[in-house]
Amino acid sequence: MKRIGMLTSGGDCQALNAAMRGVVKSLATSGIEMEVYGFLEGYKGLIYGNFRMLSPKDFSGILTRGGTILGTSRTPFKTIREPDENGLDKVEAMKQNYYKLQLDCLVVLGGNGSQKTANLLSEEGLNVVSLPKTIDNDLWGTDMTFGFQSAVDVATTAIDYIHTTADSHGRVFIVEVMGHKVGWLTLNAGMAGGADVILIPEIPYDIKKVIDAIEGREKRGSRFTILAVAEGAISKEDAKLSKKEYKEKLANYVYPSVSYELADQIQKLTGREVRVTVPGHMQRGGAPDPYDRVFASRLGAEAGQLILKEKYGYMVAYKNREIVKVPLSEIAGKLKKVPSDASIIKEAKMLGVCFGD
Ligand code: F6P
């Protein structure tokens, strides 16, 4: 008999349900008896003892369903050691609930912050197995996270749609893509959608280079330009600012996001009509694509096997086309950025894509 706690934490993404289904199916197929305690709304559920008993039936029919059947929330790692508004020690509360329910292990599906908390709980003595979720693909220790490919699909579709209207009107269009502080999503959706300019946080941009790219296209007979801009894109000047100076700039920032600032600059400097489209949370919504269904199911299946073998303290990951396990202590606190010398960047440049550098 295995008593398994499970939770989904942080921003949701596609294929969370597929991954949980993978874990439970893999355990059920082995013939082991189990009790699954589904903690509601992420770590909050574990802290406050809010859970739902789940049977294998609850995991049936959810392979294709977006969101998470457990609900999720953000419980920031940086305040995890601080007591809550009623003075409750959150880490102690999580441990107490784990022991009270006599759990054999805790399965955590999460991104960067959630993996840090998973590592902390593992260091505190709980048996933890985690799975890598996030549309940002910024988790250290894995080449790919689930949710990423589905989000690439959504962002690419947005760029595809914009292409036709941009062509009709001969406008400059900016599509702002999620991804937090990294550019994986923008880079991949931008290339898949044939964006002419791709701006990512890892390569600070020079507005003059961006304008050269727009004007160059016009000289070559193109009536429109599409820019895929990461929500975390940053100009060369801003990248030079100290943390304090950048914070000050943001405090007086008049634009909703970097895309609107860019649009304003391009409009003023070139006189061209510029429009901004922000697909936003659509990128995390809807059904997982076939890639993510397969990928999350594989990760879930392997997580189930780790539980059977009682191998704890690991995240199931994907490296060099293989599913592997990576110690949680190796992942926590690191960010997987797009290397500025990545071959995909070089190849995009060979195709004429401007990165603003
Ligand atoms: O980490 C996933 C993500 O969608 C990021 O791409 C984005 O910056 C952030 O979450 C948005 O967070 P929230 O849903 O809390 O607004």
Side-chain angles (χ1 to χ4, degrees):
M1 159 69 91
K2 291 252 181 251
R3 287 198 179 83
I4 297 153
M6 201 176 267
L7 61 87
T8 52
S9 167
D12 74 343
C13 71
Q14 302 89 340
L16 280 162
N17 291 325
M20 290 191 276
R21 170 185 175 271
V23 176
V24 172
K25 269 197 178 281
S26 153
L27 287 164
T29 306
S30 78
I32 196 164
E33 259 190 77
M34 64 182 143
E35 279 177 358
V36 182
Y37 296 73
F39 292 103
L40 307 177
E41 295 181 29
Y43 285 112
K44 258 195 209 169
L46 182 57
I47 296 170
Y48 299 107
N50 292 331
F51 63 88
R52 194 153 67 87
M53 294 302 300
L54 300 165
S55 72
K57 247 186 154 184
D58 291 301
F59 295 91
S60 182
I62 63 167
L63 172 65
T64 61
R65 202 194 298 173
T68 157
I69 58 167
L70 296 180
T72 186
S73 66
R74 294 194 188 277
T75 309
F77 176 76
K78 56 176 185 213
T79 56
I80 202 79
R81 287 283 188 194
E82 290 170 18
D84 78 353
E85 55 280 12
N86 298 315
L88 182 79
D89 180 330
K90 289 175 277 198
V91 176
E92 207 43 47
M94 287 194 275
K95 286 165 64 181
Q96 288 311 317
N97 282 320
Y98 177 96
Y99 291 123
K100 200 160 72 193
L101 297 170
Q102 297 182 305
L103 297 181
D104 290 296
C105 70
L106 179 69
V107 179
V108 174
L109 293 86
N112 270 314
S114 312
Q115 299 290 345
K116 282 196 229 170
T117 304
N119 181 48
L120 183 148
L121 293 176
S122 170
E123 285 173 353
E124 289 284 325
L126 308 195
N127 294 331
V128 182
V129 170
S130 76
L131 289 136
K133 72 93 228 201
T134 167
I135 64 165
D136 302 338
N137 193 32
D138 59 353
L139 251 182
W140 188 266
T142 185
D143 295 343
M144 182 75 79
T145 55
F146 63 82
F148 173 68
Q149 289 295 344
S150 303
V152 169
D153 288 357
V154 179
T156 302
T157 303
I159 298 172
D160 288 348
Y161 282 3
I162 290 303
H163 248 108
T164 58
T165 177
D167 191 13
S168 308
H169 287 268
R171 287 171 172 160
V172 174
F173 259 97
I174 296 177
V175 180
E176 183 173 292
V177 180
M178 273 188 169
H180 202 215
K181 291 181 179 160
V182 303
W184 295 108
L185 192 50
T186 310
L187 177 58
N188 283 271
M191 277 186 82
D196 311 294
V197 177
I198 297 178
L199 303 181
I200 60 173
E202 293 87 343
I203 307 178
Y205 66 85
D206 177 345
I207 187 69
K208 287 194 214 93
K209 294 282 168 65
V210 174
I211 285 168
D212 285 351
I214 296 168
E215 292 183 334
R217 273 179 60 76
E218 200 168 277
K219 277 190 201 124
R220 292 191 297 278
S222 301
R223 299 182 62 239
F224 69 93
T225 298
I226 308 264
L227 288 81
V229 175
E231 60 180 356
I234 186 163
S235 68
K236 278 193 195 293
E237 298 88 72
D238 285 353
K240 280 186 206 140
L241 298 177
S242 67
K243 255 194 177 171
K244 191 173 162 240
E245 289 168 329
Y246 190 55
K247 261 195 176 166
E248 272 165 20
K249 173 181 167 161
L250 292 185
N252 304 308
Y253 203 56
V254 291
Y255 303 101
S257 68
V258 64
S259 298
Y260 290 89
E261 182 181 4
L262 260 168
D264 198 22
Q265 286 176 315
I266 297 169
Q267 217 148 334
K268 281 187 183 135
L269 293 167
T270 69
R272 282 176 182 76
E273 243 187 316
V274 188
R275 293 286 188 271
V276 177
T277 293
V278 184
H281 287 77
M282 278 180 69
Q283 293 162 94
R284 290 199 333 222
D289 72 359
Y291 180 95
D292 271 335
R293 293 178 201 183
V294 175
F295 183 46
S297 299
R298 291 181 63 194
L299 294 170
E302 297 288 355
Q305 297 307 300
L306 288 187
I307 295 168
L308 282 174
K309 291 179 201 146
E310 300 184 351
K311 294 217 175 298
Y312 299 122
Y314 293 100
M315 178 179 84
V316 185
Y318 190 63
K319 279 201 164 169
N320 304 320
R321 295 174 174 262
E322 274 182 42
I323 310 273
V324 295
K325 59 181 197 315
V326 183
L328 282 167
S329 55
E330 276 181 25
I331 300 158
K334 295 181 197 152
L335 195 63
K336 186 184 71 193
K337 294 185 184 181
V338 178
S340 50
D341 61 349
S343 59
I344 184 171
I345 304 269
K346 288 184 199 138
E347 286 133 16
K349 285 185 176 172
M350 289 171 201
L351 300 170
V353 175
C354 164
F355 283 85
D357 58 340

